[in-house]
Amino acid sequence: MFTQYISNEQHYTEVISRIASVHETLWIGTADIKDLYVKQGNDTIPLLGQLAGLLKRGVGVRLIHAKEPGPNFREDFDKFPILATALERVLCPRVHFKLMIFDLNTVYIGSANLTGAGIGMKSSLRRNFEAGILTNDPQLVEAAINQFDTLWMGTHCSKCGRKEFCGDKIK
């Protein structure tokens, strides 16, 4: 069992780098999402390209985010048609947590949004100051899975109070 404190550049090296090695499931929860880029070999590609690769391998990818991404993200999204058919995505305006759950056995819980400045490849001079933990502690992983899944299943929707802002009504 491990628990590691994650700060600044480690968000990319310790968290985002794990995405490529996911075998079965990747669940991502974030308030903000932008056109984030990652290294793949000697190239730099949109994270959406990496997610498309996971989907092609049969990995289940779920994404919960709070607001519609900007035009650069949408342009990258359109480059990978599998995202429109295989990526499970929910827009919930009340989401503010930042979670990544890798194969339901390791979790990142922290402050970093899914943006270049938050968790991406930005230089240390342009990066946000972030903090989080990466762990496979079963109690923390289970708590994160339960929080994500409860939201995913729409448990809070009937009493949400913000349905007029909800683009993806779960229930």
Side-chain angles (χ1 to χ4, degrees):
M1 184 168 54
F2 74 90
T3 299
Q4 178 182 356
Y5 182 81
I6 304 292
S7 65
N8 300 332
E9 287 84 8
Q10 290 177 308
H11 279 84
Y12 184 79
T13 60
E14 300 296 324
V15 179
I16 291 294
S17 64
R18 289 180 177 270
I19 292 173
S21 61
V22 169
H23 297 291
E24 295 179 23
T25 58
L26 174 64
W27 292 0
I28 302 170
T30 186
D32 194 9
I33 187 167
K34 293 184 180 171
D35 56 329
L36 168 67
Y37 284 76
V38 298
K39 290 187 185 288
Q40 186 169 325
N42 293 328
D43 295 326
T44 301
I45 65 166
L47 174 65
L48 292 169
Q50 193 172 50
L51 296 181
L54 291 177
L55 294 167
K56 288 176 185 173
R57 288 193 350 237
V59 172
V61 180
R62 289 183 172 178
L63 171 65
I64 299 174
H65 57 101
K67 60 183 181 178
E68 285 295 340
N72 293 338
F73 180 93
R74 290 192 305 270
E75 185 177 312
D76 283 343
F77 189 93
D78 291 343
K79 292 176 186 174
F80 305 99
I82 194 169
L83 296 173
T85 58
L87 175 67
E88 297 180 80
R89 187 184 67 83
V90 169
L91 182 75
C92 174
R94 293 194 54 205
V95 166
H96 200 260
F97 59 64
K98 287 78 173 180
L99 298 173
M100 280 197 198
I101 303 170
F102 306 92
D103 288 323
L104 302 179
N105 64 28
T106 302
V107 65
Y108 163 76
I109 305 166
S111 64
N113 280 304
L114 204 62
T115 65
I119 202 164
M121 295 177 30
K122 295 264 184 177
S123 77
S124 61
L125 300 175
R126 300 182 68 200
R127 176 179 297 286
N128 295 338
F129 300 116
E130 304 285 1
I133 62 166
L134 182 67
T135 186
N136 65 355
D137 178 307
Q139 287 183 303
L140 292 172
V141 172
E142 183 178 358
I145 288 169
N146 289 340
Q147 181 179 19
F148 189 102
D149 203 38
T150 297
L151 187 79
W152 187 265
M153 299 305 290
T155 303
H156 303 289
C157 292
S158 65
K159 298 178 184 174
C160 171
R162 295 190 49 87
K163 285 189 178 192
E164 68 272 18
F165 301 105
C166 188
D168 291 334
K169 292 188 177 42
I170 302 167
K171 283 190 173 186

